[in-house]
Amino acid sequence: MKQLRYQASLAVLIVLIIVTVGVQGWTVALSVLTVGLISGVMALGLNIQWGYAGQFNAGVMGFSAIGAIACVLVSMPWVTATMQNGLETLSQAPDGYEQTISMLKHDIPRRLTAEKNIGIAWLLGAASAIAAWALNRTLRHRVRTIWRVILVLVVLIIGLALFRGRFDSAIRIIESTGYGDNSKYLGGMQLPILFAWFIGGCLAAIAAWMIGKIALGLRSDYLAIATLGISEIVIALLKNEGWLTRGVLNVTGLPSPVPAVKALQVAPYSLDVKTSLIVNKLAFLGLVVMLTVLFLWLAHRAWHSPWGRMMRAIRDNEEAAAAMGKDVVFRHRQVFIFGSFFLGVGGAMLATLVLQFEPAGYQPLRFTFLIWVMVIVGGSGNNIGSIVGGLLIWFLWVQAEPAASWLFYVLGTIVLPENSALAGTLLERAPQMRTLVMGLVLLIVLRFAPGGLLPESLQRRLK
């Protein structure tokens, strides 16, 4: 029965891809497959948290966004360096660019000073935080609590005043200057994008450690509320800190780890437009497949290791595990960090695929609810089920709208009277069919397959 489920799932996915190729072409099929696998990686990270340890993480969106911003901070060029290069280029042939050259000569020194002030501001802030912490520890048993609190607050207020004094004026300069399309923010270090994926996972893991110190002591639904709130805070910061993320202006032109479509159309490749597009998508898909296989192997090893058995024991009965001497909170923090690393890498891959970072595009419906549906439909506690769920649910999410549009068009032209108001209303409602289809799929799976299409299977050794 178990093997039949795996074979049936693989057969369904193959049929869906073949149908997509026949109806919509190779380009659409490869795009759906690539995003489905990336979503599967994110579902795998969530499955590690929920399936391994029973942690209700409702902040998937925040970890994905943290992974994506790493692509900006690591792989985009430093804006000031771009301005300096632009000034050198324009100075060689200044005719017609006198105003731009004058602006760059005026703005570059201001940006350099502003960047220096931002660094000094953060050093002052960090120093005041360390000083407040040290003062609190030193006076813990020497003075009354009220006086210790007042002294710590005084140190923090002084540090905040020093921080804001340099930081606020500096970011106004950063957000008002630049050169080219991606300006008005600091930029990045122009390192390889694959390195940015790893850094994105690490940043998400660090954020998970910080959140875990605060929220992992909470139970199920309280943890979900905490992670959801923290996720919204992360998105709000990314939208409003324009000096760092360019805010709602978006960052476009993220580098790709594979040759661009235009690069494939010139020597030495010299491919036509259609072929270059397919080759570009195939190359990116191959890279995603390799990472997916690597992550599946890591998750499989973790699941079948003594650590994985310990995590399942903690998930099933925390009190009994604690009575056996297991540090439940520490192990919960471990698995939360482990899963968040996958979520961060998935978010970085998704931003690289679309070649832009768009903070306003991070919505809970797409980056939290949909990932949860993938885990539930694929099978909680089953690593391969997470990938299958990611592919299947993403296919249904993408194809629900065009399928509904076609169906409503047929109803409007064949069944309903000509120029029917109902036909027009149905066509307008086609995009909402995505949410309806996801709800129906979730209800059907929970009713007829509560464990998912590929439920968790526990191997029991009989002696």
Side-chain angles (χ1 to χ4, degrees), residues 106-128:
H106 178 258
D107 288 344
I108 289 174
R110 295 174 63 219
R111 279 186 69 95
L112 290 172
T113 303
E115 289 166 356
K116 180 181 178 181
N117 285 334
I118 288 175
I120 293 173
W122 281 108
L123 289 175
L124 290 172
S128 64

Side-chain angles (χ1 to χ4, degrees), residues 238-432:
L238 295 179
K239 286 181 180 179
N240 290 284
E241 298 301 321
W243 64 277
L244 185 66
T245 67
R246 211 162 178 258
V248 295
L249 296 176
N250 305 336
V251 177
T252 58
L254 289 175
S256 176
V258 299
V261 175
K262 291 184 178 180
L264 292 171
Q265 296 173 10
V266 298
Y269 306 102
S270 302
L271 301 177
D272 59 77
V273 175
K274 184 177 180 181
T275 305
S276 63
L277 188 60
I278 293 175
V279 169
N280 172 267
K281 292 185 177 297
L282 272 174
F284 199 96
L285 175 61
L287 191 58
V288 172
V289 167
M290 287 190 291
L291 281 176
T292 302
V293 171
L294 173 62
F295 290 157
L296 266 177
W297 178 78
L298 291 173
H300 177 80
R301 296 279 297 186
W303 177 256
H304 292 282
S305 68
W307 179 84
R309 291 191 289 273
M310 176 188 62
M311 290 310 307
R312 292 196 295 275
I314 293 174
R315 177 196 66 187
D316 295 337
N317 195 326
E318 288 187 15
E319 290 76 10
M324 294 296 292
K326 305 301 180 184
D327 190 340
V328 174
V329 175
F330 176 72
R331 298 303 177 182
H332 275 171
R333 193 179 304 133
Q334 272 188 338
V335 78
F336 194 63
I337 292 171
F338 187 22
S340 297
F341 177 83
F342 284 19
L343 293 174
V345 174
M349 289 194 292
L350 201 57
T352 305
L353 177 65
V354 298
L355 301 178
Q356 71 171 0
F357 174 68
E358 182 184 1
Y362 286 88
Q363 302 295 330
L365 177 63
R366 165 64 183 94
F367 287 92
T368 298
F369 172 74
L370 205 62
I371 305 300
W372 267 103
V373 174
M374 292 171 183
V375 173
I376 294 170
V377 172
S380 174
N382 190 315
N383 296 321
I384 297 178
S386 300
I387 305 299
V388 171
L391 288 167
L392 180 60
I393 294 303
W394 180 251
F395 177 86
L396 294 176
W397 178 261
V398 170
Q399 301 296 353
E401 181 180 350
S405 298
W406 175 81
L407 177 61
F408 294 156
Y409 174 77
V410 172
L411 289 175
T413 55
I414 299 176
V415 179
L416 298 175
E418 188 177 356
N419 298 325
S420 171
L422 178 59
T425 302
L426 288 175
L427 286 174
E428 292 176 358
R429 300 295 182 184
Q432 280 72 45

Side-chain angles (χ1 to χ4, degrees), residues 60-277:
V60 177
M61 175 181 66
F63 293 109
S64 303
I66 290 173
I69 191 58
C71 296
V72 176
L73 301 179
V74 174
S75 296
M76 288 299 289
W78 182 37
V79 173
T80 304
T82 303
M83 295 171 66
Q84 292 171 336
N85 294 334
L87 178 59
E88 292 178 4
T89 302
L90 295 178
S91 298
Q92 295 174 0
D95 295 340
Y97 298 103
E98 290 82 3
Q99 185 175 357
T100 304
I101 292 173
S102 175
M103 179 193 69
L104 289 173
K105 288 181 177 179
H106 178 258
D107 288 344
I108 289 174
R110 295 174 63 219
R111 279 186 69 95
L112 290 172
T113 303
E115 289 166 356
K116 180 181 178 181
N117 285 334
I118 288 175
I120 293 173
W122 281 108
L123 289 175
L124 290 172
S128 64
I130 293 172
W133 173 80
L135 183 64
N136 181 57
R137 287 187 63 88
T138 303
L139 302 180
R140 179 172 296 177
H141 302 295
R142 300 182 180 181
V143 300
R144 295 177 60 185
T145 302
I146 183 63
W147 293 113
R148 188 174 79 249
V149 171
I150 291 174
L151 289 173
V152 168
L153 287 176
V154 168
V155 171
L156 290 176
I157 290 172
I158 293 173
L160 179 62
L162 294 173
F163 174 83
R164 295 293 299 270
R166 288 182 175 270
F167 185 76
D168 289 352
S169 58
I171 63 170
R172 283 195 292 269
I173 294 174
I174 296 295
E175 293 178 353
S176 62
T177 58
Y179 178 73
D181 294 333
N182 284 323
S183 58
K184 301 182 179 180
Y185 79 117
L186 283 176
M189 296 180 285
Q190 209 166 2
L191 297 175
I193 191 67
L194 291 179
F195 180 65
W197 292 4
F198 175 75
I199 295 299
C202 291
L203 289 178
I206 292 171
W209 178 82
M210 296 172 64
I211 294 170
K213 295 288 286 186
I214 300 170
L216 282 185
L218 302 174
R219 299 275 182 168
S220 61
D221 48 348
Y222 297 103
L223 176 62
I225 294 170
T227 51
L228 178 62
I230 293 170
S231 173
E232 292 293 342
I233 291 172
V234 169
I235 299 301
L237 288 173
L238 295 179
K239 286 181 180 179
N240 290 284
E241 298 301 321
W243 64 277
L244 185 66
T245 67
R246 211 162 178 258
V248 295
L249 296 176
N250 305 336
V251 177
T252 58
L254 289 175
S256 176
V258 299
V261 175
K262 291 184 178 180
L264 292 171
Q265 296 173 10
V266 298
Y269 306 102
S270 302
L271 301 177
D272 59 77
V273 175
K274 184 177 180 181
T275 305
S276 63
L277 188 60

